[in-house]
Amino acid sequence: DGGITQSPKYLFRKEGQNVTLSCEQNLNHDAMYWYRQDPGQGLRLIYYSQIVNDFQKGDIAEGYSVSREKKESFPLTVTSAQKNPTAFYLCATKREAGAYNEQFFGPGTRLTVL
Amino acid sequence: QQQVKQSPQSLIVQKGGISIINCAYENTAFDYFPWYQQFPGKGPALLIAIRPDVSEKKEGRFTISFNKSAKQFSLHIMDSQPGDSATYFCAASPLNNNDMRFGAGTRLTVKP
């Protein structure tokens, strides 16, 4: 079954804790992205990676970190420095880094800070 | 800054009617315009996309109309069905670029 897997589906965090959201893909896509979605707002880009061991900040990278050690995996860490982390987080992929920007999304992780 | 403005925020349509959602953009470097459909608690799914070398693209009941001079594009859903009830996002991006800008979304409700 090909696609994008995000885990967990729901995540609860206490204030001051770091948490890591998983994103795995078996589509053999080069580029991967993390977006944040808040009610009534469009998706905002946190980080993206075009190739292994390389990633770039998006519009709202503060308080987040990522790694891209494998082509299939692009985990996102929400650090305690992120002041308002409660949101729906979406991972996306694109077939080729230089291709037109057709992005495919995973099912999302809902993060709630208690 | 919001580079893609989407309207309306919400839309209620009777079954069988036409749903129309509009988007406007500012950046003339945008040349790829997708629409995504999102059901509650799910990730967005790519519905249909257009490039500015055509003024219209149709896939089944879904049509994108594109007006390059006005920097506007719209999604038309013909014969709307209750199963179409979802949030729809427009987006815009330079063709070979990672900078995708999303509209704020339109919540569509199709009443039976």
Side-chain angles (χ1 to χ4, degrees):
Chain A
D1 185 23
I4 304 166
T5 303
Q6 289 188 243
S7 61
K9 185 174 176 66
Y10 300 97
L11 185 57
F12 298 90
R13 188 194 96 171
K14 293 182 180 180
E15 287 192 19
Q17 282 183 336
N18 293 354
V19 290
T20 297
L21 284 59
S22 169
C23 178
E24 302 279 333
Q25 55 105 355
N26 62 5
L27 301 170
N28 199 33
H29 286 183
D30 288 341
M32 298 186 74
Y33 306 80
W34 274 105
Y35 289 91
R36 170 180 172 140
Q37 185 176 27
D38 294 283
Q41 297 191 37
L43 282 65
R44 293 182 290 167
L45 183 63
I46 304 172
Y47 269 98
Y48 67 93
S49 167
Q50 299 191 81
I51 56 172
V52 174
N53 292 322
D54 184 65
F55 46 83
Q56 305 296 328
K57 293 181 178 180
D59 295 327
I60 56 166
E62 184 175 352
Y64 300 98
S65 66
V66 293
S67 63
R68 186 89 185 274
E69 297 177 0
K70 300 185 301 182
K71 186 175 183 177
E72 302 79 19
S73 178
F74 191 41
L76 173 74
T77 297
V78 184
T79 75
S80 57
Q82 170 51 237
K83 297 306 178 188
N84 185 22
T86 295
F88 191 47
Y89 290 87
L90 290 158
C91 176
T93 68
K94 184 173 77 171
R95 186 177 296 113
E96 297 174 16
Y100 63 92
N101 209 355
E102 183 181 38
Q103 296 186 17
F104 300 92
F105 285 85
T109 291
R110 185 165 300 280
L111 172 63
T112 302
V113 173
L114 303 173
Chain B
Q1 71 283 17
Q2 189 177 12
Q3 295 192 31
V4 179
K5 294 184 179 180
Q6 183 172 347
S7 62
Q9 279 188 313
S10 62
L11 180 62
I12 300 174
V13 173
Q14 290 295 127
K15 178 182 176 181
I18 302 174
S19 304
I20 301 174
I21 304 170
N22 300 299
C23 285
Y25 64 97
E26 299 167 359
N27 189 343
T28 55
F30 290 154
D31 56 7
Y32 173 71
F33 303 89
W35 284 89
Y36 287 86
Q37 178 189 57
Q38 184 179 31
F39 293 104
K42 306 293 184 183
L46 180 63
L47 193 60
I48 187 173
I50 197 169
R51 293 179 55 188
D53 51 348
V54 296
S55 60
E56 185 175 282
K57 182 175 182 180
K58 183 175 182 179
E59 289 185 3
R61 296 185 294 109
F62 300 92
T63 300
I64 300 179
S65 297
F66 184 81
N67 186 330
K68 187 173 183 178
S69 61
K71 293 187 285 186
Q72 295 176 348
F73 58 110
S74 60
L75 176 69
H76 295 231
I77 306 174
M78 312 299 288
D79 187 26
S80 298
Q81 299 296 312
D84 297 331
S85 298
T87 299
Y88 293 81
F89 291 95
C90 63
S93 167
L95 188 60
N96 297 322
N97 189 291
N98 295 288
D99 189 16
M100 183 87 83
R101 298 291 167 172
F102 288 83
T106 295
R107 177 175 286 185
L108 172 66
T109 302
V110 181
K111 290 190 174 294

